[in-house]
Amino acid sequence: MLGSTKSYYDSNLQWEKETDLAVLTFSLPASDQAATYMTKLNLLTFVLNGRPWRFQISQAVYDTNGKAFQITAKPFSITLNQSLVDAAVAPSQQEPASFYIGQTLKGLDWTIGRDELGNSTLHTVAFSDQDTVLARLYSVADAFNCALDFRIELDGLKVKAQYIDILNRLGSERNDIQLVYGDNVTNITKTVDCSTLATALEITGLQKDDDKGNSIDDAFFDLAYTSDDGRFTKPKDSYVMYDQTTNKSLNQGAAYILGTFDGSSVESVQAAITAVINQLTTQSQPTTTIDTSLAYVPNALTIGDTVRLISNDPNDSNYLSTDVQELDICLDNPSKSSAKFGDYQPLADGDNLYDLTQIKQSIAAAQSLAATAQNTANTANTNAATAQATANTANATANTAQTTATQAATEANTANTTANQAQTMLPVISSVAPTNPQEGQVWFEGDSSTNVKAIHKYVSGSWLNNTLLPTSMNVQQLSALSADLGTVDAGTLNAVDINSADMHNQTVVDDPDNAGQTITSDFYINENGLLLAAKRKLLGITDVVCWTWIDTFGQTIAGYSLVADFDQTNPLNGAYMSVRLDPVLAGLFFTSSQLGGSFYLNIQDAYQNSTRTVVWSSGWGTWGGGNGDIVLVRHGRLVTLFGYPKNTGSNYGNGAQIAQLPDWAKPVSDVGGINIYAVSFNSGVGNMQPCPVFLSTNGAITLAGGAQSNGYVRIFPLTYPAQDM
């Protein structure tokens, strides 16, 4: 926690329903201690009407006239826009919205919170393009016609958890809030728009098949349809749906006003009929928009809330409900807050309307709020006067800073002149002598920094050769040195490369396991590779050589040999025991004369995996509390399987598929499938009965006999060899 402030002003929290995201802007005097922290990417946290907010500063501009910072910050959830998700094919079966949102959030520190849809709505959705996480989430919301709310929980100022709630709608029905013309409403403007009016819609884009492979396009074209009330009709061999009732009332039976409906996303003929009627019902009426201006915004109002709008204007009385589309909240002066509304709907008489007494009470409460707002405005004016005094002090400080800056500029010019002079003295690497040299300048004669053959210094008008003492040499590449150095004694030799046909080093140390014995270690590098061999007494009795060899094929081999049998050029000859790491086959070879041969162990023998999650078939799922999962555990080449799957009342006959196992759990193909002993029971139906299941080599678990409806199947533990990975 860096700091806090109450001196901000001209604040605006703009919160829109369309995205459920907000933008925060405010100003802060430069003299405020918190101004130090108003830098890009720093975080701002506060709680408004019980809802925690966290913003990240995206822009901080310093206003030299007002001596203040102007800050723009975006919600912390916008970090979701920094990650990309790949295109995704549709799943094999219909899934709820939580399935697609969970896939999108995989690997991120966001989780699903409230889920009001649950499994009530299922779809198969594909995403053809790569997208940002945020855009993908909104695509899912569009597909399921739901709303998303980005919500955080705080522990102090630390983010405790981050949730995305899946909601039927944002906000709630606020019967306790009503907007009254002449009270908290200052103006109501109504606009009627007929530009999108249509009394018939032609459906287009019906190209894909339904879940049974039948053409939706052909079926819709061939269908003759009339609604129960006779209002909507579609003739056979036509793509047009007509609204007879509305067309008659609007045009007195004249020609229909034709519009279009995009049917590319519908999944059945019935869905197409329902969707086109829904759009035609809306589009057959003129669009009425109403703009409402407020004197003040009621407390605790959030986007998506539905409130009552009452107009007492005798020229145009309205009783409407309306949704909050946007809130512009002034944190430092609530009287400056405003709201935008939409989706105005007429209310019938007696539809949750308050009586006259309640309206008068609302007006009295509004007047009290207005008085409070006036007091807040007076306080804000006082704060503004204080801020002006602070700004005057800051201006005097700025004048002093300007004087200091002028002095610093003079010193910088002097330093720049000195730097230019020093620039001409920089050492030069060149095959020819520099022109216009300076006294004392150094010239490295050579065509590059890695190929310098002489060092010169410019003294009294000529270039003199400099001598490099051996004690001061620190050479990365000494390619010009060719000599027989004899024996070289040195403390440490640091080198990039040492090229040699043969290298050997030997050390002798006391054997910690055998008192009085020694271990002689030889280190070889030659044309056969690298070899480390240690000669010692094994159990104090036999002389052996324990060795590790990295040959020129990249293999690592370890083993031991009797001293008499040890071959330095090929330690495997006569080895008593060896183990070899094969980097190509990712395996280990064991050779031992004691075991009478060679053995091979590859990476699959160490493979492990386990899960309590399988792909359930229709009609099957887990027993309550997770106890019904099919449990799979793989160790090496063997898989153990058991579980208690539950039937939901369908797909429980002979041959019905229960679940599909992952690839790593499929049995080896040459077994031809495995019969597994199992029993079925349902205390409400009858006694336990045998219910064998069959595991095929493709990983499908099916019933080899009938199971009890709405019962449980106990699959007894089975261990079997799995397919190679």
Side-chain angles (χ1 to χ4, degrees), residues 17 114 116 167-177 300-308 321-324:
K17 177 183 176 182
R114 299 194 306 274
E116 295 182 354
L167 308 176
N168 289 309
R169 54 163 289 180
L170 289 174
S172 59
E173 291 284 343
R174 299 298 300 271
N175 292 326
D176 58 325
I177 296 178
L301 194 66
T302 64
I303 59 170
D305 282 352
T306 300
V307 298
R308 299 294 184 253
S321 70
T322 182
D323 290 347
V324 181

Side-chain angles (χ1 to χ4, degrees), residues 58 78 206 216 220 239 290 366 368 396 452 466 508 579 592 608 653 693:
S58 60
I78 206 68
L206 292 172
I216 300 175
F220 186 86
Y239 290 105
I290 301 176
S368 176
V452 175
N466 270 17
V508 179
V579 57
S592 173
Q608 293 192 52
V693 299

